[in-house]
Amino acid sequence: MAADIIDGKKIAADIRGEVKEQVEELLEQGDVRPGLSVVLVGDNPASAVYVRMKAKACEETGIKSEVIKMEKETTQQELEDVIDRLNADPSVHGILVQLPLPEQIVERDIIMRIAPEKDVDGFHPVNVGRMVIGDPSAFRPATPAGVVEMLMRTGHDPSGKRVVIVGRSNIVGKPLAVLLMQKMKGGNATVTVAHSRTQDLAAVMREADILVAAIGAAEFVKGDNVKPGAVVIDVGVNRLDDASTEKGYRLVGDVAYDEAAEVAAAITPVPGGVGPMTIAMLLTNCIKAAREISGIS
Ligand code: GUN
């Protein structure tokens, strides 16, 4: 059995189309153009690529974006000063500080500095807390929100299903577990968060109706970890050296795709799965921020 491919690129393009319409609506209703400021500190090549992709997506949908590039030697104070300026700027509705940050910077304090109403990443503890209690005013972090959205839009409602998330990061595993267990649309699942200390991880993964891999280890999930007929969502993006390619590497996920696709009912590819969804959901958070800050519902 070959699995259906869950086409994140296509779903994300649909969402970008919806975002574009909402930008036009905001302009008509209140002469408000949503604005996103992205701060990139240092020269991490992967971060630079992600930031470029975010800015391009903004441009395509009519969201005003600026990228503020800062030296890798930037101090905590310098970065906090930039955030304070963006917090106070009424044309900026969303602020995103690309992670990871250089080691001299205390990431937690930077996240805390961003005004919660502009925290389109949903990383500020106020937004995390609101999300946990099911408050719709919370910004949902983009990657977990993208996973829920792609399940719903492909007819794989997690309600009542056994979901196993492999990985417990603050950006993906933990918030995804919260969203999927909520008593709301896109939730109502029975969620297990598995990780490096989980006993008999292979057996736990094989119980999943929906298996989400978010551990950051190339091709960690094998075909025999997947229950026949399960839905497999691969959040991982890993570079594997490959001299036969132009760039000298290729991207693979946290799932051994070919093996898993033999067993699963549906699966997300890498690239072209969760990645484009993350950017699309960031854009929807920018619209939400612009609406709430400008008082246009
Ligand atoms: N680095 C990896 N993923 C993300 C994300 O979703 N937001 C930010 N700010 N940094 C990241």
Side-chain angles (χ1 to χ4, degrees), residues 1-4 226-231 258-267:
M1 181 179 67
D4 291 338
V226 177
K227 181 166 87 173
V231 174
D258 291 343
E259 289 177 19
E262 288 290 314
V263 188
I267 187 167

Side-chain angles (χ1 to χ4, degrees), residues 128 131-132 141 144 165 167-181 191 193 214:
V128 176
M131 179 181 63
V132 171
I165 302 166
R168 52 179 159 180
S169 69
N170 287 338
I171 293 183
V172 184
K174 285 183 202 167
L176 180 58
V178 170
L179 292 179
L180 289 169
M181 76 170 74
V191 183
V193 181

Side-chain angles (χ1 to χ4, degrees), residues 38-59:
V38 180
V39 185
L40 174 63
V41 187
D43 48 17
N44 180 318
S47 290
V49 172
Y50 291 137
V51 164
R52 254 201 315 277
M53 283 161 54
K54 288 170 185 176
K56 184 164 168 265
C58 283
E59 203 177 296

Side-chain angles (χ1 to χ4, degrees), residues 225-263:
N225 300 140
V226 177
K227 181 166 87 173
V231 174
V232 177
I233 306 289
D234 191 348
V235 181
V237 184
N238 309 283
R239 285 184 184 194
L240 277 193
D241 290 341
D242 185 345
S244 72
T245 66
E246 203 178 302
K247 291 180 173 157
Y249 66 85
R250 65 191 162 92
L251 294 180
V252 299
D254 289 353
V255 176
Y257 181 88
D258 291 343
E259 289 177 19
E262 288 290 314
V263 188

